Amino acid sequence: MNSYLMVAGLLTVLMAVVHSMLGERLILRPLARQIQHTPNKLLQSRLPTLRFTWHITSILGLAMAWLFFDCAQQTNLAASQITLLRTSSIAFLLCFGVALLGSRAKHPSWLVFLIIAGLTWLSAS
């Protein structure tokens, strides 16, 4: 069992769950309350799109975790699995950069993205 991938999978699950739960409570609900009191109907119509895209991101995170857990249980990784893990690592590294720069290092997700990127890259080596 690949412990790097197990940890990466657990961190990815944790991040996806926290993203959905805290995002709904701290961002989406307060935003919905503010938008309800605006006369701008176009703005009001955008909230459902924002809500479902928010949660789709979490679902995709859970799918990535599932792939990490599946690969973690393999004794020998196939070439396609190594490609998947390296591609995932690069994607998480890009997420790290966006989160770090976009939040000016104030949002803790950048650190989690960096750890997951490193673990998935190491697991494919």
Side-chain angles (χ1 to χ4, degrees):
M1 182 178 303
N2 188 319
S3 57
Y4 289 149
L5 283 177
M6 291 301 289
V7 173
L10 289 171
L11 286 173
T12 306
V13 166
L14 178 66
M15 189 165 50
V17 170
V18 167
H19 179 263
S20 263
M21 292 174 60
L22 289 183
E24 183 69 39
R25 197 173 101 215
L26 300 177
I27 296 172
L28 295 173
R29 286 183 194 158
L31 186 60
R33 282 193 293 274
Q34 284 182 337
I35 289 175
Q36 286 174 349
H37 300 296
T38 182
N40 187 336
K41 297 294 180 195
L42 181 62
L43 190 58
Q44 290 176 4
S45 71
R46 301 290 196 243
L47 185 63
T49 303
L50 180 60
R51 178 167 272 127
F52 79 73
T53 56
W54 188 277
H55 294 296
I56 283 173
T57 305
S58 297
I59 292 167
L60 291 171
L62 293 173
M64 292 297 300
W66 185 336
L67 293 172
F68 294 160
F69 290 140
D70 182 62
C71 288
Q73 298 191 22
Q74 308 300 318
T75 52
N76 293 315
L77 294 173
S80 61
Q81 291 171 312
I82 291 171
T83 300
L84 171 90
L85 292 172
R86 288 196 175 142
T87 304
S88 299
S89 179
I90 291 167
F92 276 95
L93 190 63
L94 291 170
C95 291
F96 151 75
V98 169
L100 181 72
L101 296 174
S103 74
R104 296 186 177 118
K106 292 184 178 121
H107 192 280
S109 65
W110 68 268
L111 181 59
V112 180
F113 283 128
L114 181 61
I115 293 169
I116 294 169
L119 290 170
T120 53
W121 188 267
L122 288 172
S123 71
S125 299

